[in-house]
Structure formats: structure tokens, C-alpha cells
Coordinates of all heavy atoms in Angstrom, one line a residue:
M1 N 19.3 -30.0 -5.1 CA 19.6 -29.5 -3.8 C 18.3 -29.6 -2.9 O 17.3 -29.2 -3.3 CB 20.1 -28.1 -3.9 CG 20.5 -27.6 -2.5 SD 21.3 -25.9 -2.8 CE 20.7 -25.1 -1.4
T2 N 18.5 -30.2 -1.8 CA 17.4 -30.4 -0.9 C 17.5 -29.4 0.3 O 18.6 -29.3 0.9 CB 17.4 -31.8 -0.3 OG1 17.4 -32.7 -1.5 CG2 16.1 -32.1 0.5
T3 N 16.4 -28.8 0.7 CA 16.4 -28.0 1.9 C 15.5 -28.5 2.9 O 14.5 -29.2 2.6 CB 16.0 -26.5 1.6 OG1 14.7 -26.6 1.1 CG2 16.9 -25.9 0.6
S4 N 15.7 -28.3 4.1 CA 14.8 -28.8 5.2 C 13.5 -28.0 5.1 O 13.4 -26.9 4.6 CB 15.4 -28.6 6.6 OG 15.5 -27.2 6.9
P5 N 12.4 -28.6 5.5 CA 11.1 -27.9 5.4 C 11.1 -26.6 6.2 O 10.5 -25.6 5.7 CB 10.1 -28.9 6.0 CG 10.8 -30.3 5.9 CD 12.2 -30.0 6.0
R6 N 11.7 -26.6 7.3 CA 11.7 -25.4 8.1 C 12.4 -24.3 7.4 O 11.9 -23.1 7.2 CB 12.4 -25.6 9.5 CG 12.4 -24.4 10.3 CD 12.9 -24.7 11.7 NE 12.8 -23.5 12.5 CZ 13.8 -23.1 13.3 NH1 14.8 -23.8 13.5 NH2 13.6 -21.9 13.9
R7 N 13.6 -24.5 6.8 CA 14.4 -23.5 6.1 C 13.6 -23.1 4.9 O 13.5 -21.9 4.6 CB 15.7 -24.1 5.7 CG 16.6 -23.2 4.9 CD 17.1 -22.0 5.6 NE 17.8 -21.2 4.7 CZ 18.1 -19.9 4.9 NH1 17.7 -19.3 6.0 NH2 18.8 -19.2 4.0
G8 N 13.0 -24.0 4.1 CA 12.3 -23.6 2.9 C 11.1 -22.8 3.3 O 10.8 -21.8 2.6
S9 N 10.4 -23.1 4.3 CA 9.2 -22.3 4.7 C 9.6 -20.9 5.2 O 8.9 -19.9 4.9 CB 8.3 -23.0 5.8 OG 9.1 -23.1 7.0
E10 N 10.7 -20.8 5.8 CA 11.2 -19.4 6.2 C 11.5 -18.6 5.0 O 11.1 -17.4 4.9 CB 12.4 -19.5 7.1 CG 12.1 -20.0 8.5 CD 13.4 -20.2 9.3 OE1 14.5 -20.0 8.8 OE2 13.2 -20.6 10.5
D11 N 12.1 -19.2 4.0 CA 12.5 -18.4 2.8 C 11.2 -18.0 2.1 O 11.1 -16.9 1.6 CB 13.3 -19.3 1.9 CG 14.7 -19.5 2.4 OD1 15.1 -18.7 3.3 OD2 15.4 -20.4 1.9
F12 N 10.2 -18.9 2.0 CA 9.0 -18.6 1.4 C 8.2 -17.5 2.1 O 7.8 -16.5 1.4 CB 8.1 -19.8 1.3 CG 6.8 -19.6 0.6 CD1 6.7 -19.5 -0.7 CD2 5.6 -19.5 1.3 CE1 5.5 -19.3 -1.4 CE2 4.4 -19.3 0.7 CZ 4.4 -19.2 -0.7
G13 N 8.2 -17.5 3.4 CA 7.5 -16.4 4.1 C 8.2 -15.1 3.9 O 7.5 -14.0 3.8
E14 N 9.5 -15.0 3.9 CA 10.2 -13.8 3.7 C 10.0 -13.3 2.3 O 9.8 -12.1 2.0 CB 11.7 -14.0 3.9 CG 12.1 -14.1 5.4 CD 13.5 -14.5 5.6 OE1 14.3 -14.3 4.6 OE2 13.9 -15.0 6.6
Q15 N 9.9 -14.2 1.3 CA 9.6 -13.8 -0.1 C 8.2 -13.2 -0.2 O 8.0 -12.2 -0.8 CB 9.8 -15.0 -1.0 CG 9.6 -14.6 -2.5 CD 9.8 -15.8 -3.4 OE1 9.9 -16.9 -2.9 NE2 9.8 -15.5 -4.7
D16 N 7.3 -13.8 0.5 CA 5.9 -13.3 0.4 C 5.8 -11.9 0.9 O 5.1 -11.1 0.4 CB 5.0 -14.2 1.3 CG 4.5 -15.4 0.5 OD1 4.8 -15.5 -0.7 OD2 3.8 -16.3 1.2
R17 N 6.5 -11.6 2.0 CA 6.4 -10.3 2.6 C 7.0 -9.2 1.6 O 6.6 -8.1 1.6 CB 7.1 -10.2 4.0 CG 6.3 -10.8 5.1 CD 6.9 -10.5 6.4 NE 8.2 -11.2 6.6 CZ 8.4 -12.4 7.1 NH1 7.4 -13.1 7.4 NH2 9.6 -12.9 7.2
R18 N 8.0 -9.6 0.9 CA 8.7 -8.7 0.0 C 7.8 -8.4 -1.2 O 7.9 -7.4 -1.8 CB 10.0 -9.2 -0.4 CG 11.1 -9.1 0.6 CD 12.4 -9.4 0.0 NE 12.5 -10.7 -0.7 CZ 13.0 -11.8 -0.2 NH1 13.4 -11.8 1.1 NH2 13.0 -12.9 -0.8
T19 N 7.0 -9.4 -1.7 CA 6.3 -9.3 -2.9 C 4.8 -9.0 -2.8 O 4.1 -8.9 -3.7 CB 6.5 -10.6 -3.8 OG1 6.0 -11.7 -3.0 CG2 7.9 -10.8 -4.1
L20 N 4.4 -8.8 -1.5 CA 3.0 -8.6 -1.3 C 2.6 -7.2 -1.9 O 3.1 -6.2 -1.5 CB 2.7 -8.6 0.2 CG 1.2 -8.5 0.7 CD1 0.5 -9.7 0.2 CD2 1.2 -8.4 2.2
Q21 N 1.6 -7.2 -2.8 CA 1.2 -6.0 -3.4 C 0.0 -5.4 -2.7 O -0.9 -6.1 -2.4 CB 0.8 -6.3 -4.9 CG 1.9 -6.8 -5.7 CD 3.0 -5.8 -5.9 OE1 2.8 -4.7 -6.3 NE2 4.2 -6.2 -5.5
M22 N 0.1 -4.1 -2.4 CA -0.9 -3.4 -1.7 C -1.7 -2.5 -2.7 O -1.1 -1.9 -3.6 CB -0.3 -2.5 -0.6 CG 0.6 -3.3 0.3 SD -0.3 -4.3 1.4 CE -0.3 -3.3 2.8
Q23 N -3.0 -2.3 -2.4 CA -3.8 -1.5 -3.2 C -4.7 -0.7 -2.3 O -5.2 -1.2 -1.3 CB -4.6 -2.3 -4.2 CG -5.0 -1.6 -5.5 CD -5.5 -2.5 -6.5 OE1 -6.2 -3.5 -6.2 NE2 -5.3 -2.2 -7.8
L24 N -4.9 0.6 -2.7 CA -5.8 1.4 -2.0 C -7.1 1.7 -2.9 O -7.0 1.9 -4.1 CB -5.2 2.8 -1.7 CG -3.9 2.7 -0.9 CD1 -3.3 4.1 -0.8 CD2 -4.2 2.2 0.5
F25 N -8.2 1.6 -2.2 CA -9.5 1.9 -2.9 C -10.2 3.0 -2.3 O -10.4 3.1 -1.1 CB -10.4 0.6 -2.9 CG -9.9 -0.5 -3.7 CD1 -9.1 -1.5 -3.1 CD2 -10.1 -0.6 -5.0 CE1 -8.6 -2.5 -3.8 CE2 -9.6 -1.7 -5.8 CZ -8.8 -2.6 -5.2
L26 N -10.6 4.0 -3.1 CA -11.3 5.2 -2.6 C -12.8 5.1 -2.8 O -13.2 4.5 -3.8 CB -10.7 6.4 -3.3 CG -9.3 6.8 -3.0 CD1 -8.4 6.3 -4.1 CD2 -9.1 8.2 -2.7
D27 N -13.5 5.8 -1.9 CA -15.0 5.8 -2.1 C -15.4 6.8 -3.2 O -16.5 6.6 -3.7 CB -15.6 6.2 -0.7 CG -15.4 5.2 0.4 OD1 -15.2 4.0 0.1 OD2 -15.5 5.6 1.5
D28 N -14.6 7.7 -3.5 CA -14.9 8.8 -4.4 C -13.8 9.0 -5.4 O -12.6 9.3 -5.0 CB -15.2 10.1 -3.7 CG -15.6 11.2 -4.6 OD1 -15.5 11.2 -5.8 OD2 -16.1 12.2 -4.0
S29 N -14.0 8.8 -6.7 CA -13.0 8.9 -7.7 C -12.4 10.3 -7.9 O -11.3 10.4 -8.4 CB -13.6 8.4 -9.1 OG -14.6 9.2 -9.5
A30 N -13.1 11.3 -7.3 CA -12.5 12.6 -7.4 C -11.2 12.8 -6.6 O -10.5 13.7 -6.9 CB -13.6 13.6 -6.9
Y31 N -10.9 11.9 -5.7 CA -9.7 12.0 -4.9 C -8.6 11.1 -5.4 O -7.5 11.1 -4.8 CB -10.1 11.6 -3.4 CG -11.0 12.6 -2.8 CD1 -12.3 12.4 -2.6 CD2 -10.4 13.8 -2.2 CE1 -13.2 13.3 -2.0 CE2 -11.3 14.7 -1.6 CZ -12.6 14.4 -1.5 OH -13.4 15.4 -0.9
T32 N -8.8 10.3 -6.4 CA -7.8 9.3 -6.8 C -6.4 9.9 -7.2 O -5.4 9.6 -6.6 CB -8.3 8.4 -7.9 OG1 -9.5 7.8 -7.5 CG2 -7.3 7.3 -8.3
D33 N -6.5 10.9 -8.0 CA -5.3 11.6 -8.4 C -4.6 12.4 -7.3 O -3.4 12.5 -7.2 CB -5.5 12.5 -9.6 CG -5.8 11.8 -10.9 OD1 -5.2 10.6 -11.1 OD2 -6.5 12.3 -11.8
R34 N -5.5 12.9 -6.4 CA -4.9 13.7 -5.2 C -4.2 12.7 -4.3 O -3.1 13.1 -3.8 CB -6.1 14.3 -4.5 CG -6.6 15.5 -5.2 CD -7.6 16.2 -4.3 NE -8.7 16.7 -5.1 CZ -9.8 17.2 -4.6 NH1 -10.0 17.4 -3.3 NH2 -10.8 17.6 -5.4
L35 N -4.7 11.5 -4.1 CA -4.1 10.5 -3.2 C -2.8 10.1 -3.8 O -1.7 10.0 -3.1 CB -5.0 9.3 -3.0 CG -4.4 8.2 -2.1 CD1 -3.9 8.7 -0.8 CD2 -5.3 7.1 -2.0
A36 N -2.7 9.8 -5.1 CA -1.5 9.5 -5.8 C -0.4 10.6 -5.7 O 0.7 10.3 -5.4 CB -1.8 9.1 -7.3
A37 N -0.9 11.8 -5.9 CA 0.1 12.9 -5.7 C 0.6 13.1 -4.3 O 1.8 13.4 -4.1 CB -0.6 14.2 -6.2
F38 N -0.3 12.9 -3.3 CA 0.1 12.9 -1.9 C 1.2 11.9 -1.6 O 2.2 12.2 -1.0 CB -1.1 12.7 -1.0 CG -0.8 12.5 0.4 CD1 -0.3 13.5 1.2 CD2 -0.9 11.2 1.0 CE1 0.0 13.3 2.5 CE2 -0.6 11.0 2.3 CZ -0.1 12.0 3.1
L39 N 0.9 10.7 -2.1 CA 1.9 9.6 -1.9 C 3.2 9.9 -2.6 O 4.3 9.6 -2.0 CB 1.3 8.2 -2.3 CG 0.1 7.7 -1.4 CD1 -0.5 6.5 -2.1 CD2 0.6 7.4 0.0
R40 N 3.2 10.4 -3.7 CA 4.4 10.8 -4.4 C 5.2 11.9 -3.6 O 6.4 11.9 -3.5 CB 4.1 11.4 -5.8 CG 3.9 10.3 -6.8 CD 3.9 10.9 -8.3 NE 2.9 10.0 -9.0 CZ 1.6 10.3 -9.2 NH1 1.1 11.4 -8.8 NH2 0.9 9.4 -9.9
S41 N 4.4 12.8 -3.0 CA 5.0 13.9 -2.2 C 5.8 13.4 -1.0 O 6.6 14.1 -0.4 CB 4.0 14.9 -1.8 OG 3.2 14.5 -0.7
V42 N 5.4 12.2 -0.5 CA 6.1 11.6 0.6 C 7.1 10.5 0.2 O 7.5 9.7 1.0 CB 5.1 11.0 1.7 CG1 4.4 12.2 2.3 CG2 4.2 10.0 1.1
G43 N 7.5 10.5 -1.1 CA 8.5 9.6 -1.6 C 8.1 8.3 -2.1 O 8.9 7.4 -2.3
Q44 N 6.8 8.0 -2.2 CA 6.3 6.7 -2.7 C 6.1 6.8 -4.2 O 6.2 7.8 -4.8 CB 5.0 6.3 -2.0 CG 5.2 6.3 -0.5 CD 6.3 5.4 -0.1 OE1 6.4 4.2 -0.5 NE2 7.1 5.8 0.8
R45 N 5.9 5.6 -4.8 CA 5.7 5.5 -6.2 C 4.3 4.8 -6.6 O 4.2 3.7 -7.1 CB 6.8 4.7 -6.9 CG 8.1 5.3 -6.7 CD 9.2 4.5 -7.4 NE 10.4 5.2 -7.3 CZ 11.6 4.6 -7.7 NH1 11.6 3.4 -8.2 NH2 12.7 5.3 -7.5
P46 N 3.2 5.5 -6.3 CA 1.9 5.0 -6.5 C 1.6 4.9 -8.0 O 2.1 5.7 -8.8 CB 1.0 5.9 -5.8 CG 1.7 7.2 -5.9 CD 3.1 6.9 -5.8
V47 N 0.7 4.0 -8.4 CA 0.2 3.9 -9.8 C -1.3 3.9 -9.7 O -1.9 3.1 -9.0 CB 0.7 2.6 -10.4 CG1 0.2 2.5 -11.8 CG2 2.3 2.6 -10.5
V48 N -1.9 4.9 -10.4 CA -3.4 4.9 -10.5 C -3.8 3.7 -11.4 O -3.4 3.6 -12.5 CB -3.9 6.2 -11.1 CG1 -5.4 6.2 -11.3 CG2 -3.5 7.4 -10.2
A49 N -4.5 2.8 -10.8 CA -4.9 1.5 -11.4 C -6.3 1.5 -11.9 O -6.8 0.5 -12.4 CB -4.6 0.4 -10.4
G50 N -7.1 2.5 -11.6 CA -8.5 2.6 -12.0 C -9.1 3.9 -11.4 O -8.4 4.6 -10.7
P51 N -10.4 4.1 -11.7 CA -11.0 5.3 -11.2 C -11.0 5.5 -9.7 O -10.9 6.6 -9.3 CB -12.5 5.2 -11.7 CG -12.5 4.1 -12.7 CD -11.2 3.2 -12.5
T52 N -11.0 4.4 -9.0 CA -11.0 4.5 -7.5 C -9.9 3.6 -6.9 O -9.9 3.3 -5.7 CB -12.3 4.1 -6.9 OG1 -12.6 2.8 -7.3 CG2 -13.4 5.1 -7.4
A53 N -8.8 3.3 -7.7 CA -7.8 2.4 -7.2 C -6.4 2.9 -7.4 O -6.1 3.5 -8.5 CB -7.9 1.0 -7.9
V54 N -5.6 2.8 -6.4 CA -4.2 3.2 -6.5 C -3.3 2.0 -6.0 O -3.5 1.5 -4.8 CB -3.9 4.4 -5.6 CG1 -2.4 4.8 -5.6 CG2 -4.8 5.6 -6.0
D55 N -2.4 1.6 -6.8 CA -1.5 0.5 -6.4 C -0.3 1.2 -5.7 O 0.2 2.2 -6.2 CB -0.9 -0.2 -7.7 CG -2.0 -1.1 -8.3 OD1 -2.9 -1.6 -7.6 OD2 -1.8 -1.4 -9.5
V56 N 0.1 0.6 -4.6 CA 1.2 1.2 -3.9 C 2.4 0.2 -3.8 O 3.3 0.4 -3.1 CB 0.8 1.7 -2.5 CG1 0.0 2.9 -2.6 CG2 0.1 0.6 -1.7
G57 N 2.3 -0.9 -4.5 CA 3.4 -1.9 -4.6 C 3.5 -2.7 -3.3 O 2.6 -3.0 -2.7
D58 N 4.8 -2.9 -2.9 CA 5.1 -3.7 -1.8 C 5.5 -2.9 -0.6 O 6.3 -3.3 0.2 CB 6.1 -4.8 -2.1 CG 7.5 -4.2 -2.5 OD1 7.5 -2.9 -2.7 OD2 8.4 -4.9 -2.7
M59 N 4.9 -1.8 -0.4 CA 5.1 -0.9 0.8 C 4.7 -1.7 2.1 O 3.8 -2.5 2.0 CB 4.2 0.3 0.7 CG 5.0 1.6 0.5 SD 3.9 3.0 0.1 CE 3.5 3.5 1.8
D60 N 5.3 -1.4 3.1 CA 5.0 -1.9 4.4 C 3.6 -1.4 4.9 O 3.3 -0.2 4.8 CB 6.0 -1.5 5.5 CG 5.8 -2.0 6.8 OD1 5.7 -3.3 7.0 OD2 5.6 -1.2 7.8
A61 N 2.7 -2.3 5.3 CA 1.3 -1.9 5.7 C 1.3 -0.8 6.8 O 0.5 0.1 6.7 CB 0.5 -3.1 6.1
A62 N 2.2 -0.9 7.8 CA 2.2 0.0 8.8 C 2.6 1.4 8.3 O 2.1 2.4 8.8 CB 3.2 -0.4 9.9
E63 N 3.5 1.5 7.4 CA 3.9 2.7 6.8 C 2.7 3.4 6.0 O 2.5 4.6 6.1 CB 5.1 2.5 5.8 CG 5.7 3.8 5.3 CD 6.9 3.6 4.4 OE1 7.2 2.4 4.1 OE2 7.4 4.6 3.9
I64 N 2.0 2.6 5.3 CA 0.9 3.1 4.5 C -0.2 3.6 5.5 O -0.8 4.7 5.2 CB 0.3 2.0 3.6 CG1 1.0 1.9 2.4 CG2 -1.2 2.2 3.3 CD1 0.4 1.0 1.4
E65 N -0.4 2.9 6.6 CA -1.4 3.4 7.5 C -1.1 4.7 8.1 O -1.9 5.5 8.4 CB -1.6 2.3 8.6 CG -2.3 1.1 8.1 CD -2.4 -0.1 9.1 OE1 -2.0 0.1 10.3 OE2 -2.9 -1.1 8.7
V66 N 0.2 5.0 8.3 CA 0.6 6.3 8.8 C 0.3 7.4 7.8 O -0.3 8.4 8.1 CB 2.1 6.3 9.2 CG1 2.6 7.7 9.4 CG2 2.4 5.4 10.4
Y67 N 0.6 7.1 6.5 CA 0.3 8.1 5.5 C -1.2 8.3 5.4 O -1.6 9.4 5.2 CB 0.9 7.6 4.1 CG 2.4 7.6 4.1 CD1 3.0 6.5 3.4 CD2 3.1 8.6 4.7 CE1 4.4 6.5 3.3 CE2 4.5 8.5 4.6 CZ 5.2 7.5 3.9 OH 6.5 7.5 3.9
L68 N -2.0 7.2 5.5 CA -3.4 7.3 5.4 C -4.0 8.1 6.6 O -5.0 8.8 6.4 CB -4.1 6.0 5.3 CG -3.8 5.2 4.0 CD1 -4.5 3.9 4.0 CD2 -4.2 6.1 2.8
R69 N -3.4 8.1 7.7 CA -3.9 8.9 8.9 C -3.7 10.4 8.5 O -4.6 11.2 8.8 CB -3.1 8.6 10.1 CG -3.6 7.3 10.8 CD -3.0 7.1 12.2 NE -2.6 5.7 12.3 CZ -1.5 5.3 12.8 NH1 -0.7 6.1 13.4 NH2 -1.3 4.0 12.9
V70 N -2.5 10.7 7.9 CA -2.3 12.1 7.5 C -3.3 12.5 6.4 O -3.9 13.6 6.5 CB -0.9 12.3 7.0 CG1 -0.7 13.7 6.5 CG2 0.1 12.0 8.2
W71 N -3.5 11.6 5.5 CA -4.4 11.8 4.4 C -5.8 12.1 4.9 O -6.5 13.0 4.5 CB -4.5 10.6 3.5 CG -5.6 10.6 2.4 CD1 -6.7 9.9 2.5 CD2 -5.6 11.4 1.2 NE1 -7.5 10.2 1.4 CE2 -6.8 11.1 0.6 CE3 -4.7 12.2 0.6 CZ2 -7.2 11.6 -0.6 CZ3 -5.1 12.8 -0.6 CH2 -6.3 12.5 -1.2
H72 N -6.2 11.4 5.9 CA -7.6 11.5 6.5 C -7.7 12.9 7.2 O -8.8 13.5 7.1 CB -7.9 10.4 7.5 CG -9.3 10.5 8.1 ND1 -10.4 10.3 7.4 CD2 -9.7 10.9 9.4 CE1 -11.4 10.5 8.2 NE2 -11.0 10.9 9.4
V73 N -6.6 13.4 7.8 CA -6.7 14.8 8.4 C -6.8 15.8 7.2 O -7.6 16.8 7.4 CB -5.4 15.0 9.2 CG1 -5.3 16.5 9.6 CG2 -5.4 14.1 10.4
L74 N -6.1 15.6 6.1 CA -6.2 16.6 5.0 C -7.5 16.5 4.3 O -8.0 17.5 3.8 CB -5.0 16.3 4.0 CG -3.6 16.5 4.6 CD1 -2.6 16.0 3.6 CD2 -3.4 18.0 4.9
Y75 N -8.0 15.3 4.1 CA -9.3 15.0 3.3 C -10.2 14.1 4.1 O -10.3 12.9 3.8 CB -8.9 14.4 2.0 CG -8.0 15.2 1.1 CD1 -6.7 15.0 1.1 CD2 -8.5 16.3 0.4 CE1 -5.8 15.8 0.3 CE2 -7.7 17.1 -0.4 CZ -6.4 16.8 -0.5 OH -5.5 17.6 -1.2
P76 N -10.8 14.6 5.1 CA -11.7 13.8 6.0 C -12.9 13.1 5.3 O -13.4 12.1 5.8 CB -12.2 14.8 7.1 CG -11.9 16.1 6.6 CD -10.8 16.0 5.6
D77 N -13.3 13.7 4.2 CA -14.4 13.1 3.4 C -14.0 12.1 2.4 O -14.9 11.5 1.8 CB -15.2 14.2 2.7 CG -15.9 15.2 3.7 OD1 -16.2 14.8 4.8 OD2 -16.0 16.4 3.4
A78 N -12.7 11.9 2.2 CA -12.2 10.9 1.2 C -11.9 9.6 1.9 O -10.8 9.4 2.4 CB -11.0 11.5 0.6
G79 N -12.9 8.7 1.8 CA -12.7 7.4 2.4 C -11.8 6.5 1.6 O -11.8 6.5 0.4
V80 N -10.8 5.8 2.3 CA -9.8 5.0 1.6 C -9.8 3.7 2.4 O -9.7 3.6 3.6 CB -8.4 5.6 1.6 CG1 -7.4 4.7 0.9 CG2 -8.5 7.0 1.0
K81 N -9.7 2.6 1.6 CA -9.5 1.2 2.2 C -8.3 0.6 1.6 O -8.0 0.7 0.4 CB -10.7 0.3 1.8 CG -12.0 0.8 2.4 CD -13.2 -0.1 2.0 CE -14.4 0.6 2.5 NZ -15.4 0.8 1.5
L82 N -7.5 0.0 2.5 CA -6.3 -0.7 2.1 C -6.5 -2.2 1.9 O -7.2 -2.8 2.7 CB -5.2 -0.5 3.3 CG -3.9 -1.3 3.2 CD1 -3.2 -0.8 1.9 CD2 -3.1 -1.1 4.4
Q83 N -6.1 -2.7 0.8 CA -6.2 -4.2 0.5 C -4.9 -4.7 0.1 O -4.2 -4.2 -0.7 CB -7.3 -4.4 -0.6 CG -7.5 -5.8 -0.8 CD -8.6 -6.0 -1.9 OE1 -9.3 -5.1 -2.3 NE2 -8.7 -7.2 -2.3
A84 N -4.6 -5.9 0.7 CA -3.3 -6.6 0.4 C -3.6 -7.6 -0.7 O -4.6 -8.2 -0.8 CB -2.7 -7.2 1.6

């Protein structure tokens, strides 16, 4: 079956957005479990992936940024970086 390049590229782009894995990296490992617990409390399914890393799966980046703004208010000294 042959698809046009335009149609195929649209499908590929949509698939990429769905499967893009996001990860959070903390400056201080003391906050890793707290961040995972916070994300669980708002209905997410984070996985602690290392001493300073939390996988958040294919969550929308804008949604994660909202949660991180709240996190920053709760824990202003806990630096977090988002990486796709």
C-alpha cells in the first residue's frame, strides 16, 4: 500500500507527539520521591528513574509545566528541569 508523502508525514508527526517521552531532572536527590508523590497526587503516573530523575511518560509538556509551577511554589529550593 502506498501513501502520499504528505499523508505519511502527518501520520508520523502525530505518532511522535503521542510517544514522546518526558523526563524531569532535579538538582537535589532529596526531592525526587517528593516530586514523584506530588505528581501522583495530581493523577499522573511518574516513575523514579534514578537518584535525580523522574520519568513522566508522554504527558503534554504544557501540562507538566503547570504542575512544575505549583511544585516551585511548594518547594522553591528544589530545582527541576524538563527534558523531552
Side-chain angles (χ1 to χ4, degrees):
M1 182 173 144
T2 306
T3 61
S4 70
R6 182 172 180 222
R7 174 72 181 160
S9 64
E10 287 174 356
D11 290 343
F12 181 74
E14 289 173 16
Q15 182 180 11
D16 277 353
R17 283 191 293 273
R18 285 192 303 266
T19 59
L20 186 64
Q21 296 297 305
M22 306 287 260
Q23 206 170 36
L24 301 172
F25 292 95
L26 292 103
D27 294 338
D28 184 346
S29 63
Y31 292 100
T32 306
D33 289 329
R34 286 185 220 176
L35 177 58
F38 168 73
L39 291 170
R40 279 188 214 98
S41 77
V42 294
Q44 301 306 313
R45 295 182 180 174
V47 175
V48 174
T52 60
V54 177
D55 288 335
V56 290
D58 61 354
M59 247 173 87
D60 181 61
E63 184 179 3
I64 278 188
E65 289 174 4
V66 169
Y67 294 141
L68 291 180
R69 281 189 225 142
V70 173
W71 170 258
H72 182 69
V73 170
L74 297 171
Y75 300 98
D77 296 331
V80 180
K81 295 178 188 125
L82 174 62
Q83 182 177 349

